[in-house]
C-alpha cells in the first residue's frame, strides 16, 4: 500500500471516529451526559488523544504530498493531474479534522477533569491513610521497645 493510500485510510478512520462520536446522544454538557460512566468518558478521551496523534501524523504526510503536487519544475514533477486532484481533495478533508477533534477534546476533557480530580483526592487519602498506619506502627514499636528496655532494666536492677 502506498503512503498516499495509507494516509487516505488514516483520514477515513479518524473522520469515521469523529463523526461517530459527534453523533452519539450522550455528550458532555447534555442532559443525558450525567448517565455517562467514568470508564466511558476515560475511553473516549483516550480515543480522542489517539486521533489527535493520528492527525499530527496525517498533517506531516500531507505537507509532503502537497509539496509534490505543487511542484512547478516539469522535470521534477511526480504527480499527474488526477493525483494532484486527489491530493487537494484529501488535504481539504485532513484540514477539517483538527478543529473537530480539538472541539471534541475540549468537551470531553472538561467532563474528564472532575473524574481525574476525584481520583487524585482518593489517591491522596489512600497515601495519607498509609502514612497514618506507618506512624502508628512506629509508635507501637517504640512503645514495645520502651517496655522491653524497662523490663530489662528491672531485671538488671532487681527487685527493690
Amino acid at each position: 500500500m502506498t503512503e498516499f493510500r495509507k494516509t487516505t485510510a488514516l483520514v477515513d478512520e479518524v473522520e469515521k471516529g469523529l463523526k461517530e462520536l459527534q453523533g452519539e446522544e450522550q455528550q458532555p454538557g447534555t442532559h443525558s451526559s450525567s448517565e455517562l460512566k467514568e470508564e466511558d468518558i476515560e475511553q473516549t478521551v483516550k480515543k480522542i488523544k489517539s486521533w489527535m496523534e493520528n492527525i499530527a501524523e496525517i498533517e506531516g504526510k500531507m505537507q509532503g504530498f502537497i509539496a509534490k503536487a505543487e511542484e512547478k519544475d516539469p522535470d521534477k514533477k511526480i504527480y499527474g493531474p488526477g493525483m494532484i486532484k486527489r491530493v487537494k481533495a484529501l488535504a481539504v478533508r485532513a484540514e477539517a479534522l483538527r478543529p473537530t477533534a480539538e472541539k471534541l477534546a475540549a468537551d470531553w476533557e472538561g467532563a474528564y477533569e472532575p473524574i481525574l480530580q476525584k481520583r487524585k483526592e482518593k489517591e491522596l487519602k489512600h497515601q495519607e491513610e498509609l502514612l497514618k498506619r506507618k506512624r502508628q506502627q512506629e509508635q507501637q514499636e517504640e512503645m514495645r521497645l520502651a517496655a522491653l528496655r524497662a523490663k530489662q532494666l528491672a531485671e538488671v536492677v532487681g527487685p527493690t
Side-chain angles (χ1 to χ4, degrees), residues 78-129:
I78 297 172
Y79 297 154
M83 184 63 175
I84 291 171
K85 187 176 178 180
R86 290 199 317 249
V87 167
K88 288 181 179 180
L90 187 61
V92 169
R93 290 175 56 206
E95 287 174 11
L97 295 176
R98 183 168 292 281
T100 303
E102 286 176 345
K103 182 187 179 321
L104 286 170
D107 292 345
W108 283 92
E109 286 174 356
Y112 192 47
E113 189 59 37
I115 294 169
L116 289 176
Q117 187 63 34
K118 189 166 64 170
R119 287 180 183 172
K120 286 178 185 176
E121 289 171 4
K122 186 177 177 181
E123 179 62 23
L124 184 60
K125 284 182 182 180
H126 177 70
Q127 292 296 328
E128 288 173 352
E129 183 64 33

Short mmCIF file of all heavy atoms in Angstrom, two decimals, residues 78-129:
data_model
loop_
_atom_site.label_atom_id
_atom_site.label_comp_id
_atom_site.label_asym_id
_atom_site.label_seq_id
_atom_site.Cartn_x
_atom_site.Cartn_y
_atom_site.Cartn_z
N ILE A 78 6.14 14.79 -10.15
CA ILE A 78 5.90 13.38 -9.90
C ILE A 78 4.43 13.04 -10.18
O ILE A 78 4.14 12.01 -10.76
CB ILE A 78 6.23 13.02 -8.43
CG1 ILE A 78 7.70 13.24 -8.16
CG2 ILE A 78 5.82 11.59 -8.11
CD1 ILE A 78 8.09 13.10 -6.71
N TYR A 79 3.54 13.92 -9.75
CA TYR A 79 2.11 13.65 -9.85
C TYR A 79 1.51 14.19 -11.14
O TYR A 79 1.83 15.28 -11.59
CB TYR A 79 1.36 14.30 -8.67
CG TYR A 79 1.73 13.78 -7.30
CD1 TYR A 79 1.57 14.58 -6.19
CD2 TYR A 79 2.20 12.49 -7.11
CE1 TYR A 79 1.88 14.12 -4.91
CE2 TYR A 79 2.51 12.02 -5.85
CZ TYR A 79 2.36 12.85 -4.75
OH TYR A 79 2.66 12.38 -3.51
N GLY A 80 0.58 13.42 -11.66
CA GLY A 80 -0.20 13.86 -12.81
C GLY A 80 -1.43 14.62 -12.34
O GLY A 80 -1.67 14.75 -11.13
N PRO A 81 -2.25 15.12 -13.25
CA PRO A 81 -3.42 15.92 -12.89
C PRO A 81 -4.41 15.17 -11.98
O PRO A 81 -4.98 15.76 -11.06
CB PRO A 81 -4.08 16.25 -14.23
CG PRO A 81 -3.06 15.97 -15.27
CD PRO A 81 -2.08 15.01 -14.70
N GLY A 82 -4.61 13.89 -12.21
CA GLY A 82 -5.54 13.11 -11.39
C GLY A 82 -5.07 13.00 -9.95
O GLY A 82 -5.85 13.14 -9.01
N MET A 83 -3.78 12.74 -9.78
CA MET A 83 -3.21 12.61 -8.44
C MET A 83 -3.22 13.96 -7.73
O MET A 83 -3.49 14.03 -6.52
CB MET A 83 -1.80 12.03 -8.51
CG MET A 83 -1.18 11.76 -7.17
SD MET A 83 -2.11 10.51 -6.26
CE MET A 83 -1.09 10.32 -4.84
N ILE A 84 -2.92 15.01 -8.45
CA ILE A 84 -2.95 16.35 -7.85
C ILE A 84 -4.34 16.65 -7.32
O ILE A 84 -4.50 17.18 -6.21
CB ILE A 84 -2.48 17.41 -8.88
CG1 ILE A 84 -0.99 17.24 -9.18
CG2 ILE A 84 -2.77 18.83 -8.37
CD1 ILE A 84 -0.47 18.08 -10.33
N LYS A 85 -5.35 16.29 -8.09
CA LYS A 85 -6.74 16.49 -7.67
C LYS A 85 -7.04 15.69 -6.41
O LYS A 85 -7.67 16.20 -5.47
CB LYS A 85 -7.67 16.08 -8.82
CG LYS A 85 -9.11 16.39 -8.58
CD LYS A 85 -9.94 16.02 -9.82
CE LYS A 85 -11.41 16.29 -9.57
NZ LYS A 85 -12.23 15.95 -10.74
N ARG A 86 -6.58 14.44 -6.34
CA ARG A 86 -6.81 13.61 -5.16
C ARG A 86 -6.07 14.15 -3.93
O ARG A 86 -6.60 14.13 -2.82
CB ARG A 86 -6.38 12.17 -5.43
CG ARG A 86 -7.31 11.47 -6.42
CD ARG A 86 -7.22 9.95 -6.38
NE ARG A 86 -5.89 9.40 -6.30
CZ ARG A 86 -5.30 8.72 -7.29
NH1 ARG A 86 -5.92 8.50 -8.42
NH2 ARG A 86 -4.09 8.23 -7.11
N VAL A 87 -4.86 14.65 -4.14
CA VAL A 87 -4.09 15.23 -3.03
C VAL A 87 -4.83 16.44 -2.46
O VAL A 87 -4.98 16.59 -1.25
CB VAL A 87 -2.66 15.61 -3.47
CG1 VAL A 87 -1.98 16.49 -2.43
CG2 VAL A 87 -1.84 14.36 -3.73
N LYS A 88 -5.32 17.32 -3.36
CA LYS A 88 -6.03 18.52 -2.91
C LYS A 88 -7.32 18.14 -2.17
O LYS A 88 -7.65 18.75 -1.15
CB LYS A 88 -6.32 19.44 -4.09
CG LYS A 88 -5.07 20.13 -4.61
CD LYS A 88 -5.36 21.06 -5.76
CE LYS A 88 -4.07 21.73 -6.23
NZ LYS A 88 -4.31 22.65 -7.36
N ALA A 89 -8.03 17.16 -2.68
CA ALA A 89 -9.26 16.72 -2.02
C ALA A 89 -8.97 16.14 -0.63
O ALA A 89 -9.69 16.43 0.33
CB ALA A 89 -9.98 15.69 -2.89
N LEU A 90 -7.91 15.35 -0.53
CA LEU A 90 -7.54 14.77 0.76
C LEU A 90 -7.06 15.87 1.72
O LEU A 90 -7.35 15.82 2.91
CB LEU A 90 -6.46 13.70 0.60
CG LEU A 90 -6.12 12.91 1.87
CD1 LEU A 90 -7.35 12.17 2.40
CD2 LEU A 90 -4.98 11.93 1.61
N ALA A 91 -6.37 16.87 1.18
CA ALA A 91 -5.90 17.97 2.02
C ALA A 91 -7.08 18.72 2.65
O ALA A 91 -7.02 19.08 3.83
CB ALA A 91 -5.04 18.94 1.19
N VAL A 92 -8.13 18.93 1.89
CA VAL A 92 -9.31 19.60 2.43
C VAL A 92 -9.91 18.77 3.57
O VAL A 92 -10.26 19.31 4.63
CB VAL A 92 -10.36 19.84 1.30
CG1 VAL A 92 -11.69 20.28 1.88
CG2 VAL A 92 -9.83 20.86 0.31
N ARG A 93 -10.04 17.48 3.35
CA ARG A 93 -10.58 16.60 4.39
C ARG A 93 -9.68 16.59 5.63
O ARG A 93 -10.16 16.63 6.77
CB ARG A 93 -10.73 15.18 3.86
CG ARG A 93 -11.83 15.03 2.83
CD ARG A 93 -11.88 13.62 2.23
NE ARG A 93 -12.00 12.58 3.23
CZ ARG A 93 -11.57 11.33 3.06
NH1 ARG A 93 -11.01 10.96 1.92
NH2 ARG A 93 -11.72 10.44 4.01
N ALA A 94 -8.37 16.53 5.40
CA ALA A 94 -7.42 16.45 6.50
C ALA A 94 -7.44 17.74 7.33
O ALA A 94 -7.34 17.70 8.56
CB ALA A 94 -6.02 16.18 5.97
N GLU A 95 -7.57 18.87 6.66
CA GLU A 95 -7.60 20.16 7.38
C GLU A 95 -8.81 20.28 8.28
O GLU A 95 -8.76 20.99 9.30
CB GLU A 95 -7.58 21.32 6.38
CG GLU A 95 -6.23 21.52 5.72
CD GLU A 95 -6.26 22.59 4.63
OE1 GLU A 95 -7.27 23.33 4.52
OE2 GLU A 95 -5.28 22.67 3.87
N ALA A 96 -9.89 19.62 7.93
CA ALA A 96 -11.12 19.69 8.73
C ALA A 96 -11.04 18.83 10.00
O ALA A 96 -11.85 19.02 10.91
CB ALA A 96 -12.31 19.27 7.89
N LEU A 97 -10.09 17.93 10.07
CA LEU A 97 -10.02 17.01 11.20
C LEU A 97 -9.64 17.70 12.51
O LEU A 97 -10.28 17.47 13.54
CB LEU A 97 -9.02 15.89 10.92
CG LEU A 97 -9.37 14.94 9.77
CD1 LEU A 97 -8.22 13.95 9.56
CD2 LEU A 97 -10.67 14.21 10.02
N ARG A 98 -8.60 18.52 12.49
CA ARG A 98 -8.08 19.11 13.73
C ARG A 98 -9.12 19.95 14.46
O ARG A 98 -9.32 19.76 15.67
CB ARG A 98 -6.80 19.89 13.48
CG ARG A 98 -6.22 20.45 14.79
CD ARG A 98 -4.82 20.97 14.65
NE ARG A 98 -3.84 19.94 14.40
CZ ARG A 98 -3.33 19.13 15.33
NH1 ARG A 98 -3.73 19.21 16.56
NH2 ARG A 98 -2.43 18.23 15.00
N PRO A 99 -9.81 20.89 13.80
CA PRO A 99 -10.79 21.69 14.55
C PRO A 99 -11.89 20.83 15.19
O PRO A 99 -12.29 21.08 16.33
CB PRO A 99 -11.38 22.65 13.51
CG PRO A 99 -10.43 22.65 12.37
CD PRO A 99 -9.69 21.36 12.42
N THR A 100 -12.35 19.84 14.47
CA THR A 100 -13.38 18.96 15.01
C THR A 100 -12.85 18.19 16.21
O THR A 100 -13.51 18.12 17.25
CB THR A 100 -13.86 17.97 13.91
OG1 THR A 100 -14.32 18.71 12.79
CG2 THR A 100 -14.96 17.07 14.42
N ALA A 101 -11.67 17.63 16.06
CA ALA A 101 -11.08 16.85 17.16
C ALA A 101 -10.78 17.74 18.37
O ALA A 101 -10.99 17.33 19.52
CB ALA A 101 -9.81 16.16 16.68
N GLU A 102 -10.31 18.95 18.14
CA GLU A 102 -10.00 19.85 19.26
C GLU A 102 -11.25 20.24 20.03
O GLU A 102 -11.23 20.32 21.26
CB GLU A 102 -9.26 21.09 18.75
CG GLU A 102 -7.82 20.80 18.38
CD GLU A 102 -7.09 21.99 17.77
OE1 GLU A 102 -7.75 22.98 17.37
OE2 GLU A 102 -5.85 21.92 17.70
N LYS A 103 -12.35 20.47 19.31
CA LYS A 103 -13.60 20.81 19.99
C LYS A 103 -14.08 19.62 20.83
O LYS A 103 -14.45 19.79 22.00
CB LYS A 103 -14.68 21.22 19.00
CG LYS A 103 -15.98 21.63 19.71
CD LYS A 103 -17.11 21.87 18.77
CE LYS A 103 -18.39 22.26 19.49
NZ LYS A 103 -18.68 21.58 20.74
N LEU A 104 -14.06 18.45 20.24
CA LEU A 104 -14.47 17.25 20.98
C LEU A 104 -13.55 17.01 22.18
O LEU A 104 -14.01 16.66 23.26
CB LEU A 104 -14.48 16.03 20.07
CG LEU A 104 -15.64 15.95 19.07
CD1 LEU A 104 -15.40 14.84 18.06
CD2 LEU A 104 -16.97 15.73 19.79
N ALA A 105 -12.26 17.21 21.97
CA ALA A 105 -11.29 17.02 23.07
C ALA A 105 -11.60 17.97 24.22
O ALA A 105 -11.60 17.57 25.39
CB ALA A 105 -9.87 17.23 22.56
N ALA A 106 -11.87 19.23 23.90
CA ALA A 106 -12.18 20.21 24.95
C ALA A 106 -13.44 19.81 25.71
O ALA A 106 -13.47 19.86 26.95
CB ALA A 106 -12.34 21.60 24.34
N ASP A 107 -14.47 19.38 25.00
CA ASP A 107 -15.72 18.97 25.64
C ASP A 107 -15.51 17.77 26.55
O ASP A 107 -15.94 17.76 27.70
CB ASP A 107 -16.78 18.63 24.59
CG ASP A 107 -17.25 19.84 23.81
OD1 ASP A 107 -16.98 20.98 24.23
OD2 ASP A 107 -17.89 19.65 22.75
N TRP A 108 -14.86 16.75 26.02
CA TRP A 108 -14.71 15.51 26.77
C TRP A 108 -13.68 15.65 27.89
O TRP A 108 -13.85 15.07 28.96
CB TRP A 108 -14.37 14.35 25.84
CG TRP A 108 -15.57 13.87 25.12
CD1 TRP A 108 -16.03 14.28 23.90
CD2 TRP A 108 -16.52 12.91 25.57
NE1 TRP A 108 -17.19 13.63 23.57
CE2 TRP A 108 -17.52 12.77 24.58
CE3 TRP A 108 -16.62 12.13 26.71
CZ2 TRP A 108 -18.59 11.90 24.70
CZ3 TRP A 108 -17.69 11.25 26.83
CH2 TRP A 108 -18.67 11.15 25.85
N GLU A 109 -12.62 16.40 27.67
CA GLU A 109 -11.63 16.58 28.74
C GLU A 109 -12.24 17.40 29.88
O GLU A 109 -11.88 17.21 31.04
CB GLU A 109 -10.36 17.21 28.20
CG GLU A 109 -9.55 16.21 27.39
CD GLU A 109 -8.34 16.79 26.69
OE1 GLU A 109 -8.13 18.03 26.74
OE2 GLU A 109 -7.60 16.02 26.06
N GLY A 110 -13.17 18.30 29.53
CA GLY A 110 -13.89 19.03 30.58
C GLY A 110 -14.70 18.09 31.45
O GLY A 110 -14.81 18.28 32.66
N ALA A 111 -15.27 17.07 30.84
CA ALA A 111 -16.03 16.07 31.60
C ALA A 111 -15.10 15.13 32.35
O ALA A 111 -15.47 14.57 33.39
CB ALA A 111 -16.93 15.26 30.65
N TYR A 112 -13.90 14.96 31.86
CA TYR A 112 -12.93 14.03 32.46
C TYR A 112 -12.20 14.66 33.65
O TYR A 112 -11.78 13.95 34.57
CB TYR A 112 -11.94 13.59 31.39
CG TYR A 112 -11.05 12.43 31.76
CD1 TYR A 112 -11.56 11.29 32.35
CD2 TYR A 112 -9.69 12.47 31.49
CE1 TYR A 112 -10.74 10.22 32.68
CE2 TYR A 112 -8.86 11.40 31.81
CZ TYR A 112 -9.40 10.29 32.40
OH TYR A 112 -8.59 9.23 32.72
N GLU A 113 -12.08 15.97 33.65
CA GLU A 113 -11.33 16.66 34.71
C GLU A 113 -11.86 16.35 36.11
O GLU A 113 -11.06 16.04 37.01
CB GLU A 113 -11.33 18.17 34.44
CG GLU A 113 -10.42 18.95 35.36
CD GLU A 113 -8.96 18.51 35.27
OE1 GLU A 113 -8.49 18.18 34.18
OE2 GLU A 113 -8.30 18.50 36.33
N PRO A 114 -13.18 16.40 36.35
CA PRO A 114 -13.66 16.06 37.71
C PRO A 114 -13.34 14.62 38.10
O PRO A 114 -13.10 14.33 39.27
CB PRO A 114 -15.18 16.27 37.62
CG PRO A 114 -15.39 17.15 36.45
CD PRO A 114 -14.27 16.89 35.51
N ILE A 115 -13.33 13.73 37.12
CA ILE A 115 -13.00 12.33 37.40
C ILE A 115 -11.55 12.22 37.84
O ILE A 115 -11.23 11.56 38.82
CB ILE A 115 -13.27 11.45 36.16
CG1 ILE A 115 -14.77 11.43 35.85
CG2 ILE A 115 -12.72 10.05 36.35
CD1 ILE A 115 -15.11 10.83 34.51
N LEU A 116 -10.67 12.91 37.12
CA LEU A 116 -9.25 12.90 37.49
C LEU A 116 -9.06 13.52 38.87
O LEU A 116 -8.27 13.00 39.67
CB LEU A 116 -8.43 13.67 36.45
CG LEU A 116 -8.26 13.01 35.10
CD1 LEU A 116 -7.49 13.95 34.16
CD2 LEU A 116 -7.54 11.69 35.21
N GLN A 117 -9.77 14.60 39.13
CA GLN A 117 -9.65 15.26 40.43
C GLN A 117 -10.10 14.32 41.54
O GLN A 117 -9.43 14.22 42.58
CB GLN A 117 -10.49 16.55 40.44
CG GLN A 117 -10.29 17.38 41.68
CD GLN A 117 -8.88 17.89 41.83
OE1 GLN A 117 -8.20 18.19 40.86
NE2 GLN A 117 -8.41 17.96 43.05
N LYS A 118 -11.20 13.62 41.32
CA LYS A 118 -11.72 12.69 42.32
C LYS A 118 -10.71 11.57 42.55
O LYS A 118 -10.47 11.16 43.70
CB LYS A 118 -13.07 12.13 41.86
CG LYS A 118 -13.78 11.31 42.91
CD LYS A 118 -15.24 11.04 42.57
CE LYS A 118 -15.43 10.21 41.35
NZ LYS A 118 -16.82 9.76 41.16
N ARG A 119 -10.09 11.07 41.48
CA ARG A 119 -9.09 10.01 41.61
C ARG A 119 -7.87 10.50 42.37
O ARG A 119 -7.30 9.78 43.20
CB ARG A 119 -8.68 9.50 40.24
CG ARG A 119 -9.74 8.65 39.59
CD ARG A 119 -9.30 8.16 38.24
NE ARG A 119 -10.36 7.41 37.59
CZ ARG A 119 -10.31 6.99 36.34
NH1 ARG A 119 -9.23 7.23 35.61
NH2 ARG A 119 -11.31 6.33 35.82
N LYS A 120 -7.45 11.73 42.09
CA LYS A 120 -6.29 12.28 42.80
C LYS A 120 -6.60 12.42 44.29
O LYS A 120 -5.75 12.10 45.14
CB LYS A 120 -5.91 13.64 42.22
CG LYS A 120 -5.24 13.56 40.88
CD LYS A 120 -4.92 14.94 40.34
CE LYS A 120 -4.35 14.85 38.93
NZ LYS A 120 -4.12 16.17 38.34
N GLU A 121 -7.81 12.89 44.61
CA GLU A 121 -8.20 13.03 46.01
C GLU A 121 -8.24 11.66 46.69
O GLU A 121 -7.79 11.52 47.82
CB GLU A 121 -9.56 13.71 46.11
CG GLU A 121 -9.52 15.19 45.75
CD GLU A 121 -10.90 15.82 45.63
OE1 GLU A 121 -11.92 15.13 45.89
OE2 GLU A 121 -10.96 17.00 45.25
N LYS A 122 -8.77 10.67 46.00
CA LYS A 122 -8.84 9.31 46.55
C LYS A 122 -7.43 8.77 46.79
O LYS A 122 -7.16 8.17 47.84
CB LYS A 122 -9.60 8.41 45.57
CG LYS A 122 -9.87 7.04 46.08
CD LYS A 122 -10.70 6.23 45.09
CE LYS A 122 -10.92 4.82 45.55
NZ LYS A 122 -11.70 4.03 44.59
N GLU A 123 -6.54 8.98 45.82
CA GLU A 123 -5.16 8.53 45.97
C GLU A 123 -4.47 9.25 47.13
O GLU A 123 -3.72 8.64 47.89
CB GLU A 123 -4.39 8.73 44.66
CG GLU A 123 -2.93 8.31 44.72
CD GLU A 123 -2.71 6.83 45.02
OE1 GLU A 123 -3.60 6.00 44.76
OE2 GLU A 123 -1.62 6.50 45.53
N LEU A 124 -4.72 10.54 47.26
CA LEU A 124 -4.13 11.31 48.35
C LEU A 124 -4.63 10.79 49.70
O LEU A 124 -3.83 10.62 50.63
CB LEU A 124 -4.47 12.80 48.18
CG LEU A 124 -3.86 13.74 49.19
CD1 LEU A 124 -2.33 13.68 49.15
CD2 LEU A 124 -4.33 15.17 48.94
N LYS A 125 -5.91 10.51 49.80
CA LYS A 125 -6.46 9.96 51.05
C LYS A 125 -5.83 8.60 51.35
O LYS A 125 -5.50 8.30 52.50
CB LYS A 125 -7.98 9.81 50.95
CG LYS A 125 -8.72 11.11 51.09
CD LYS A 125 -10.22 10.89 51.02
CE LYS A 125 -10.95 12.20 51.11
NZ LYS A 125 -12.42 12.04 51.04
N HIS A 126 -5.66 7.81 50.31
CA HIS A 126 -5.04 6.49 50.48
C HIS A 126 -3.60 6.65 50.99
O HIS A 126 -3.19 5.94 51.92
CB HIS A 126 -5.06 5.73 49.15
CG HIS A 126 -4.39 4.40 49.20
ND1 HIS A 126 -4.92 3.33 49.89
CD2 HIS A 126 -3.22 3.96 48.67
CE1 HIS A 126 -4.10 2.30 49.78
NE2 HIS A 126 -3.07 2.65 49.04
N GLN A 127 -2.84 7.56 50.40
CA GLN A 127 -1.46 7.80 50.83
C GLN A 127 -1.42 8.30 52.28
O GLN A 127 -0.56 7.90 53.06
CB GLN A 127 -0.77 8.81 49.90
CG GLN A 127 -0.54 8.29 48.49
CD GLN A 127 0.41 7.12 48.45
OE1 GLN A 127 1.33 7.00 49.25
NE2 GLN A 127 0.18 6.22 47.50
N GLU A 128 -2.36 9.18 52.62
CA GLU A 128 -2.43 9.69 53.99
C GLU A 128 -2.74 8.57 54.98
O GLU A 128 -2.17 8.51 56.06
CB GLU A 128 -3.48 10.80 54.10
CG GLU A 128 -3.07 12.09 53.44
CD GLU A 128 -4.18 13.13 53.39
OE1 GLU A 128 -5.34 12.80 53.74
OE2 GLU A 128 -3.89 14.26 53.00
N GLU A 129 -3.64 7.67 54.58
CA GLU A 129 -4.00 6.53 55.42
C GLU A 129 -2.79 5.61 55.62
O GLU A 129 -2.53 5.14 56.73
CB GLU A 129 -5.19 5.77 54.82
CG GLU A 129 -5.68 4.62 55.65
CD GLU A 129 -6.25 5.04 57.00
OE1 GLU A 129 -6.83 6.12 57.12
OE2 GLU A 129 -6.08 4.25 57.95
#
